[in-house]
Amino acid sequence: MNEYKVIFENNIPVFARRLDVAENKDLIKLSTEGDKRFMNWLVVYGDNEADAIEIAKKVLTAIWSEYLS
């Protein structure tokens, strides 16, 4: 498994980029615009880009969905 930085647009994961361990200082970035909250990116472990995106979707649904709504 590798580390992937999954990039979100409107709280939907759109692509993932494989990371080197040295790059992994921050694991998540959230932002707000007005009263709306957004997931900008999230670092997850996966076998490939598609796997990382699916894992990010599950994390978003399980942990962050209430916060982002």
Side-chain angles (χ1 to χ4, degrees):
M1 294 191 108
N2 298 299
E3 291 176 311
Y4 286 87
K5 184 177 195 175
V6 180
I7 307 300
F8 290 76
E9 289 181 7
N10 292 321
N11 295 326
I12 298 170
V14 290
F15 72 93
R17 178 176 65 92
R18 188 172 171 196
L19 295 177
D20 293 330
V21 176
E23 293 182 66
N24 189 6
K25 292 181 182 177
D26 298 312
L27 300 176
I28 189 171
K29 182 175 180 188
L30 302 166
S31 65
T32 57
E33 290 181 23
D35 61 347
K36 181 81 173 151
R37 297 175 179 145
F38 294 97
M39 173 83 66
N40 298 101
W41 51 262
L42 174 67
V43 175
V44 300
Y45 284 94
D47 292 326
N48 53 48
E49 181 180 353
D51 186 43
I53 289 172
E54 285 303 313
I55 291 168
K57 284 180 187 176
K58 291 176 184 176
V59 169
L60 184 74
T61 301
I63 298 172
W64 292 98
S65 60
E66 187 173 326
Y67 175 79
L68 296 172
S69 59

